[in-house]
């Protein structure tokens, strides 16, 4: 089991460029999430998905789009990168349980720098 | 917005001693989950311990235990017999009763272990 993997691990973009971050999980989890982590902050939820073909906005969705065409993959897109999107991005996945969530399993993170 | 507050940006403890990290949270739910995650310099998010709000008994995992005070909305983490490998950022997180909308994290506490 690879768990949750993220591609790429590092990326530098120029302002206005676009890119897609790929998250893949092999645990057959229903729920997947994208978070961002800025210095001195905890993780903040960007978008999430509760199943194949469904997505929803989190706390900080502006400037990002997502897609979940396959259950095991969750893509995060930046259409026109801005310096404010410089951050570390984490993907996570889990399954629902009675009354809440099981443990969220996190990927190793992607460090994105926008110049 | 519902929040999670960690009032200690940094804590220091001697190796083999006990340290307690504080966390308070806001929620309107009656049934929810609370988590402590550890983030070492590798950036990987590692689950330390989980508490289900409907369970009155405090969760324990080896040297890690929590003091969960539901009425006070307090969820502190106690680390006994601190080890050098415990040095990391520790994040408190809350999950809402609906489950799908991810975790809300505090800003973290940087734990330093003095040899």
């Amino acid at each position: 089991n690879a768990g949750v993997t993220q591609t790429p691990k590092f990326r530098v973009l120029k302002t206005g460029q676009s890119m897609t971050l790929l998250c893949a999980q092999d645990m057959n989890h229903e729920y997947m999430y994208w978070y961002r982590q800025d210095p001195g902050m905890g993780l903040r939820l960007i978008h999430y998905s509760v199943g194949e073909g469904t997505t929803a906005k989190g706390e900080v969705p502006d400037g990002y789009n997502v897609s979940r065409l396959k259950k095991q993959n969750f893509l995060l897109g930046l259409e026109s990168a801005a310096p404010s999107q410089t951050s570390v991005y984490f993907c996570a996945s889990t399954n629902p349980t009675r009354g809440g969530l099981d443990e969220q399993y996190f990927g190793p993170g992607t460090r994105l720098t926008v110049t | 917005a519902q929040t999670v507050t960690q009032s200690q940006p940094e804590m220091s403890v001697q190796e083999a001693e006990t340290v307690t990290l504080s966390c308070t949270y806001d929620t309107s739910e009656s049934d929810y989950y609370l988590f402590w995650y550890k983030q070492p310099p590798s950036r990987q998010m590692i689950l330390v311990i989980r508490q289900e709000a409907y369970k009155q008994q405090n969760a324990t995992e080896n040297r890690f235990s929590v003091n969960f005070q539901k009425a006070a909305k307090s969820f502190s983490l106690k680390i006994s017999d601190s080890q050098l490998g415990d040095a990391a950022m520790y994040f408190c997180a809350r999950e809402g009763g609906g489950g799908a909308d991810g975790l809300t994290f505090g800003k973290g506490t940087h734990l330093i272990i003095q040899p």
Side-chain angles (χ1 to χ4, degrees):
Chain A
N1 266 359
V4 180
T5 58
Q6 293 183 229
T7 309
K9 290 187 169 49
F10 303 92
R11 185 71 186 268
V12 178
L13 288 179
K14 294 188 187 306
T15 297
Q17 288 185 320
S18 64
M19 77 162 294
T20 299
L21 280 66
L22 170 64
C23 175
Q25 52 94 5
D26 61 3
M27 296 173 282
N28 201 34
H29 285 165
E30 292 293 331
Y31 293 359
M32 296 186 74
Y33 306 85
W34 277 107
Y35 295 90
R36 63 177 286 173
Q37 184 179 28
D38 300 306
M41 302 284 289
L43 280 67
R44 291 183 293 167
L45 185 65
I46 305 171
H47 285 282
Y48 64 97
S49 168
V50 298
E52 184 178 316
T54 72
T55 63
K57 294 180 180 179
E59 180 186 354
V60 289
D62 293 343
Y64 305 96
N65 57 76
V66 288
S67 64
R68 183 117 180 252
L69 300 180
K70 294 182 179 180
K71 184 177 182 179
Q72 63 269 33
N73 295 338
F74 195 29
L75 279 62
L76 177 70
L78 286 73
E79 290 186 350
S80 179
S84 61
Q85 294 178 304
T86 294
S87 190
V88 179
Y89 292 85
F90 288 93
C91 177
S93 69
T94 190
N95 272 332
T97 63
R98 187 210 74 79
L101 290 174
D102 199 353
E103 171 188 354
Q104 287 198 14
Y105 292 82
F106 284 83
T110 295
R111 181 177 293 279
L112 175 66
T113 302
V114 183
T115 62
Chain B
Q2 301 192 20
T3 59
V4 175
T5 301
Q6 294 180 249
S7 58
Q8 305 150 317
E10 187 172 279
M11 293 283 285
S12 182
V13 64
Q14 291 288 130
E15 195 176 2
E17 296 293 308
T18 295
V19 64
T20 298
L21 308 184
S22 301
C23 173
T24 58
Y25 59 92
D26 179 24
T27 184
S28 56
E29 307 286 344
S30 60
D31 193 11
Y32 49 91
Y33 284 68
L34 297 164
F35 303 85
W36 279 98
Y37 277 89
K38 170 184 177 181
Q39 186 179 44
S42 67
R43 280 200 324 240
Q44 182 67 48
M45 296 292 288
I46 302 165
L47 179 67
V48 175
I49 200 163
R50 177 178 65 174
Q51 175 78 42
E52 298 165 69
Y54 70 90
K55 288 186 176 179
Q56 298 208 352
Q57 186 174 4
N58 289 328
T60 62
E61 287 287 342
N62 301 314
R63 297 183 294 109
F64 299 88
S65 61
V66 299
N67 182 4
F68 173 48
Q69 302 288 329
K70 190 173 183 178
K73 295 180 180 159
S74 170
F75 181 58
S76 61
L77 174 69
K78 186 171 82 170
I79 305 174
S80 304
D81 185 25
S82 297
Q83 300 175 0
L84 294 177
D86 294 335
M89 287 293 293
Y90 285 81
F91 292 96
C92 178
R94 177 194 56 77
E95 172 264 330
D101 58 357
L103 301 176
T104 300
F105 286 84
K107 292 186 177 182
T109 296
H110 182 210
L111 179 62
I112 298 167
I113 310 296
Q114 305 278 7

